[in-house]
Amino acid sequence: MGNKRQSTYFLLAIVVIATIVSLVIGILIGRSLNRDSVSPPSNDEIYQRWREAVEEDEDDGSLTKMIIDEMNPENIKESLRYLTSRAHLGGTDEEKENAEYVKGQWDDQGLDSSRIVKYNILLSYPRKDQPNHAYILSEDNSELFKTAVEETELVPGDTLDNAVPPFNAYAKAGVVEGDLVYANYARATDFEQLQTELGVNCSGKIVIARYGKGFRGEKAKQAHLYGAIGLILYSDPADYAIYGVDQVYPDTVFLPSTGVQRGNIITEQGDPLTQGYPAKDYMFRISEEDAILPKIPVQPISYKDAEEFIKLMDGTEVPDDWQGAIPGVTYKTGPGLSGNRKVKLEVNNFNEIRPVHNVVGIIKGTLEPDRYVIIGNHRDAWNYGALDPSSGTAAMLEISRTFAKLVKEGHWRPRRSILFISWGAEEYGIMGAYEWIEEFAKTVSPRTIAYLNVDIAVSGNHAFRARSSPSLFDMIYEATQKIPDTPDHGGTVFDTWLARNPREDADLPVVSTIRTGSDFRPFIMVTGIPSIDIRYERNMSLGTPSYPLYHTMYETFHFVSAVLDPTFQYHLALARVWAELARSLSDAHIVPINCSAYAERIKSGVDQLKDLYEDKMAVRPEPITFAAIDEQLQKFTMAAADLHKRIENMDKSDPFAVRAVNDQLMLLERAFIEPQGMPGKPYHRHAVFSPANINKAYRDAFAVIADKMLEVERADDPELAWKEVERYMAIAAFVLDSAATTLMEVDILAKDVSSDESRYNS
């Protein structure tokens, strides 16, 4: 018994000793392999690194030149060839295969890491075994005509086995019959004119309307609000074949008679069942019945098919500005077709929760790896998507290859981390980007310097085009002056841009204020991250609502390589600008954000509001004034000037001082976020540049005030509407005050600061 006890004690002692030895060895090995984590750099080492960074910050252009020289249009061409080899609609196997292709490219290129992020989202599809049609029926209900199921192949390869037939995503399934009414562009103003001036009531009718002059989802919404039971959309040659129906694809960029524009018609972005939250498996989902989805059947058709309906319409001739350009047709209002013919609309779309894939690749920064510059482009397409979006995807892959090569060869590594993101299901309502922001907002919002978006790299070869947060206007001008334009244009990208789209008030090209329309939307509108969206654009003076082949089956590799950009030099120029913007933001010692430019841009918008509404506000018994807005705008303007002056005079070798001012610059845009959102648009939270919800003619700062002033004119209870004007005037003053305090020094929290210059400088 004693021997057994001794044996047990002996074994226990061996186990304890072995455990201790293993632990000690593990600690020693861990320290040897992770010295940086065990022994972080001292403050002196940190200061030394930043001093070296300051010395390197005086860019002589050598890195930009290396990037320019490395980028190759043939690589862009071959990426585009692969990406457009089949249709890749969001939520399909082909969309997932393209996601895996992008990830594989980033792994092969040598990015530091990459991953695929999946969300399960409610998407919408047509039934190939039960195609959608619009019919013309005789008086005895027999079928006289029905629309085509798919577009006609005009060049071999236009139609492949997995081609997606024309449909409007999320349109309500159903069959409706009735008289037909022509409603021009189906805007609220068009329906109002139909009803009040032309004497046509759309209630119980099917409406036919042309694409353009507004979002197709808003057309469906207005048709429903005015009582229509169905909507047929088509692209009129007046807008999409402006030189005549014989001057079209495949010989030119214009829309052939058989082309059909697809597209979603939902008015809210992100997964309809998990609004505000990521569409992950654990998330609660509302029912489809409770979701904000279209209320009527809607179907797009070609102008070849639209002719069959419009040429038969009864009613009065429409005004001149409602006339389209289908040859030999006089446009009439309806209701109804000649010979007592009726129209039937059959839509068999179905909704289904399917996986959507974002791909994220990272090049880690050296000095500030926790600060991000994000480059993004969506990957899904209604069919082959050679322009929208694959031209952008191909350009992004060339940027990532170039950056990774420079890192691998030891020429460069950015100071801040660069994230490359390929979004899924943008075409359905910016789904991938919204879900990602909803999942990672608390991580991304406080750390992201800017988001750089390209939806379509090249939609035309006229000139460069940019939309941006006002604080980034200057860096776009600077970047485009460094990049050579195409051989066709000569000079720099800036030179052609200025020559073809100059501002009226300055010797600079036009940059539009960024609002909505692509994957930048949740960045700017939900989190307040400064954003840029760029592309090569068609000649906007021609008046086409979009590039003519937009969302049709004719967006093919053949079209890009044979008609639009055979040498891929426009793709190359765009990619170089995109790369230079990313390099500048990721490398600059002081982030190139201009707060004073933002203040100037807001002031021009406030001045426009005053021109439109100040007199109307003044005639009230209790006048509403711009005094508070003016005071806070002046405070913001002075705070911006003061911050830039402090930056100019600061010790830029002090890493903590630099970090502090960079954070102020980065967080400026966040100051304009109103957590409750704009009226009727809870996920439009940018109080300054959220677009108008009602007053579509107003496109400047604080559009919600323009909306509320329009409501005053229409309200049954004007006093209640005036209260809403006062409310949003106060919110405007508040966000300007927030912007000012964001830019001020830390002791602002203990000071009484007004816009009075003497008090401010004290």
Side-chain angles (χ1 to χ4, degrees), residues 332-347:
K332 296 181 180 179
T333 60
L337 305 182
S338 61
N340 290 322
R341 298 175 179 91
K342 299 289 184 183
V343 171
K344 181 172 78 169
L345 178 60
E346 178 184 1
V347 173

Side-chain angles (χ1 to χ4, degrees), residues 228-303:
I229 58 174
L231 174 65
I232 301 168
L233 293 170
Y234 78 101
S235 302
D236 198 281
D239 305 301
Y240 294 88
I242 60 175
Y243 295 125
V245 297
D246 56 342
Q247 301 293 316
V248 295
Y249 174 86
D251 300 315
T252 77
V253 301
F254 294 103
L255 185 69
S257 64
T258 53
V260 185
Q261 179 190 134
R262 297 148 180 80
N264 83 74
I265 56 169
I266 57 172
T267 53
E268 296 296 328
Q269 272 58 55
D271 177 34
L273 307 185
T274 61
Q275 287 280 293
Y277 299 94
K280 307 295 284 186
D281 289 339
Y282 62 77
M283 188 49 61
F284 173 79
R285 286 172 166 78
I286 63 173
S287 67
E288 282 192 47
E289 290 72 24
D290 293 330
I292 302 173
L293 294 171
K295 306 297 184 184
I296 59 174
V298 182
Q299 176 65 14
I301 64 173
S302 68
Y303 64 82

Side-chain angles (χ1 to χ4, degrees), residues 460-463 484-492 496 500 536 563-571 573:
N461 49 27
H462 182 68
D485 207 339
T486 67
D488 290 345
H489 290 168
T492 66
T496 308
R500 298 190 176 185
Y536 257 85
V563 180
L564 186 64
D565 188 15
T567 63
F568 281 77
Q569 290 295 323
Y570 292 95
H571 285 75

Side-chain angles (χ1 to χ4, degrees), residues 89 124-128 130-134 147-152 159 162-169 171 211 233-234 257-264 298-303 305 345-349 382-383 550-554:
L89 185 62
S124 173
Y125 300 93
R127 297 184 186 276
K128 290 193 175 182
Q130 292 179 273
N132 301 340
H133 291 291
T147 54
V149 174
E150 63 181 11
E151 287 135 307
T152 302
T159 56
N162 71 333
V164 181
F167 80 114
N168 286 126
Y211 275 124
L233 293 170
Y234 78 101
S257 64
T258 53
V260 185
Q261 179 190 134
R262 297 148 180 80
N264 83 74
V298 182
Q299 176 65 14
I301 64 173
S302 68
Y303 64 82
D305 284 350
L345 178 60
E346 178 184 1
V347 173
N348 296 306
N349 300 344
W382 290 112
N383 260 301
Y550 177 64
H551 288 184
T552 71
M553 194 154 53
Y554 302 121

Side-chain angles (χ1 to χ4, degrees), residues 405-446:
K405 182 178 180 182
L406 294 176
V407 170
K408 192 184 307 180
E409 294 180 351
H411 299 298
W412 170 73
R413 181 177 279 274
R415 294 172 186 170
R416 304 176 185 94
S417 296
I418 297 176
L419 276 64
F420 297 91
I421 307 185
S422 174
W423 306 110
E426 185 270 355
E427 297 292 4
Y428 278 96
I430 316 178
M431 298 295 182
Y434 259 90
E435 301 314 306
W436 193 79
I437 284 291
E438 288 167 353
E439 182 174 11
F440 295 109
K442 291 177 176 61
T443 301
V444 172
S445 180

